[in-house]
Amino acid sequence: MNRSERSPAEPLGHPRASHSPHVSPSCAILHSTCTKSGLFRRYNVAHTSRQKPWWLTLCGTRQEGNTVKICWIGLGNMGLPMATHLHTAGHDVVGFDLSPDARDAATAAGLRSANSAAEAAENADVVVTMLPNGEHVKAALFEAEALDASAVDALVLDCSTISAEQAREIADAVTATGRRFLDAPVSGGTAGAQNGTLTFMVGGESADLEAARPLLEAMGARIFHAGAVGAGQSAKMVNNMMLAMNMQSTCEAAVLAQRLGITPQTVIDIAGVSTGDSWALRNYYPVAGPVDAAPSNRNFTGGFSVALMRKDLGLALDAAAAHGVDTVATAEVARRLDNLVADGRGSLDFSSLIHLIDGTASSAGSTR
């Protein structure tokens, strides 16, 4: 019996697999919303506390019929570690990426890998996209037919950073098929993805968020319901505006401090407990040495690329123009990112903005 033939009242962990599950207490809210939404089919047990939900406990057994099948599309610097956390939590994760190297990396991490988006999404309960832009999300879901291949009541969870308008457009197309949609972009960078400490900013129906919450908790430390579909993207856009400007000011301060004879660690120690504090200062200091996880210690590779930050600032500038907001500082940082792209540095982490200040990048003169 395939998923489409199963009775709606039959749970994912139905004893059809000759397994009598041990059911742990769970959250009454999660049970009721999952039951109403159909994402995780009805299972008649009592739920009395906010502990691990019954279906996640079952998934940990890795027995046939007990796992929630998740299609993951986009296995890059962020997507692969996020998908791996779900796999570690006991879910049946099937990944796809256009890059053969990314698919090989997923296989090496223990995930199943598919040769197409549709193959990865076959009968999936949840389809997660983590892609560079909205057009890629549309292509994966609709042109590559991942949506059609998924379960008839699947939840689509888009963790990409796209425009709020695109999120609403995609949501309309998804929900027209009877499936559900949440936009859930993240903050925390590659370190947050690897450590499972991401922040999720979610737009969509409350019931769908509650059904998806255990999945998000497996990948992150904080979950915020920003509002209706598209609100998650709007919140992420505003956050990235501030991040970009914090990074620019941190780069300027880092170069000036060096030339004044102040060590990077001293700058972090003092500003980190003073009014100059920021996430960029503490986690992404653009000079190698004091912050082990910072891309500056890896020659600015393997982080949040210049090209992607420039894309995000473009979304912010478009939204600001549409709403009559003066964003002169955002526009200036976007221009500097353009200079890095023109200098062939678009794939480097965006903290490489420091190269325009210390003179490393050949386009530095055009920023003054």
Side-chain angles (χ1 to χ4, degrees):
M1 176 181 291
N2 62 35
R3 187 177 309 277
S4 62
E5 295 171 331
R6 182 167 51 213
S7 167
E10 187 174 294
L12 289 178
H14 191 270
R16 194 181 297 278
S18 67
H19 171 62
S20 178
H22 168 72
V23 179
S24 66
S26 183
C27 170
I29 294 176
L30 178 61
H31 176 255
S32 63
T33 54
C34 290
T35 298
K36 291 175 183 176
S37 67
L39 175 56
F40 307 114
R41 294 166 176 79
R42 188 183 307 277
Y43 199 86
N44 295 320
V45 295
H47 300 279
T48 58
S49 66
R50 291 190 62 85
Q51 296 182 20
K52 186 185 295 184
W54 69 267
W55 59 267
L56 187 53
T57 301
L58 291 179
C59 287
T61 68
R62 306 289 293 172
Q63 296 195 33
E64 183 67 28
N66 290 339
T67 57
V68 173
K69 183 175 180 182
I70 300 171
C71 161
W72 192 286
I73 303 175
L75 297 164
N77 293 333
M78 296 290 292
L80 178 56
M82 292 169 69
T84 301
H85 284 303
L86 292 176
H87 168 73
T88 301
H91 298 289
D92 180 15
V93 181
V94 183
F96 173 72
D97 195 289
L98 290 174
S99 166
D101 290 342
R103 296 197 298 272
D104 289 344
T107 301
L111 277 64
R112 290 201 289 141
S113 180
N115 292 316
S116 71
E119 180 185 341
E122 184 177 0
N123 287 331
D125 300 288
V126 181
V127 177
V128 186
T129 47
M130 186 57 159
L131 296 166
N133 59 52
E135 294 307 313
H136 290 140
V137 176
K138 292 178 188 177
L141 292 177
F142 308 122
E143 295 175 23
E145 301 183 342
L147 186 68
D148 286 345
S150 67
V152 294
D153 56 353
L155 171 68
V156 175
L157 184 67
D158 180 33
C159 294
S160 318
T161 299
I162 65 178
S163 73
E165 291 77 11
Q166 286 176 317
R168 289 189 285 268
E169 178 186 349
I170 293 169
D172 287 345
V174 168
T175 56
T177 71
R179 297 171 176 86
R180 283 147 300 157
F181 179 88
L182 293 172
D183 58 295
V186 302
S187 179
T190 53
Q194 292 161 2
N195 297 328
T197 57
L198 292 169
T199 295
F200 286 88
M201 294 151 273
V202 184
E205 295 291 334
S206 297
D208 293 337
L209 170 56
E210 290 309 310
R213 186 177 295 275
L215 303 180
L216 302 179
E217 288 175 342
M219 300 181 285
R222 292 163 296 275
I223 302 165
F224 294 96
H225 190 192
V229 168
Q233 296 296 346
S234 294
K236 173 63 184 292
M237 178 182 64
V238 170
N239 179 78
N240 276 15
M241 286 176 63
M242 293 186 283
L243 172 60
M245 286 177 277
N246 284 337
M247 194 73 254
Q248 176 65 30
S249 66
T250 300
C251 288
E252 293 178 10
V255 173
L256 181 58
Q258 281 188 311
R259 295 182 183 179
L260 293 173
I262 304 173
T263 68
Q265 190 61 59
T266 300
V267 174
I268 294 171
D269 290 344
I270 294 174
V273 294
S274 304
T275 53
D277 188 28
S278 71
W279 184 92
L281 173 86
R282 288 176 278 106
N283 296 278
Y284 252 48
Y285 201 76
V287 176
V291 181
D292 289 341
S296 54
N297 285 309
R298 305 188 301 272
N299 294 319
F300 298 94
T301 60
F304 182 34
S305 74
V306 167
L308 285 178
M309 177 57 88
R310 177 61 182 87
K311 181 264 296 183
D312 289 358
L313 293 191
L315 297 176
L317 291 169
D318 289 344
H323 291 84
V325 179
D326 183 2
T327 51
V328 60
T330 304
E332 175 59 20
V333 178
R335 187 171 70 87
R336 289 171 174 265
L337 292 170
D338 285 337
N339 287 336
L340 288 176
V341 172
D343 201 49
R345 299 168 188 260
S347 63
L348 297 182
D349 182 80
F350 80 107
S351 58
S352 61
L353 279 163
I354 196 171
H355 293 161
L356 295 172
I357 300 163
D358 65 13
T360 304
S362 62
S363 300
S366 65
T367 69
R368 303 185 187 282

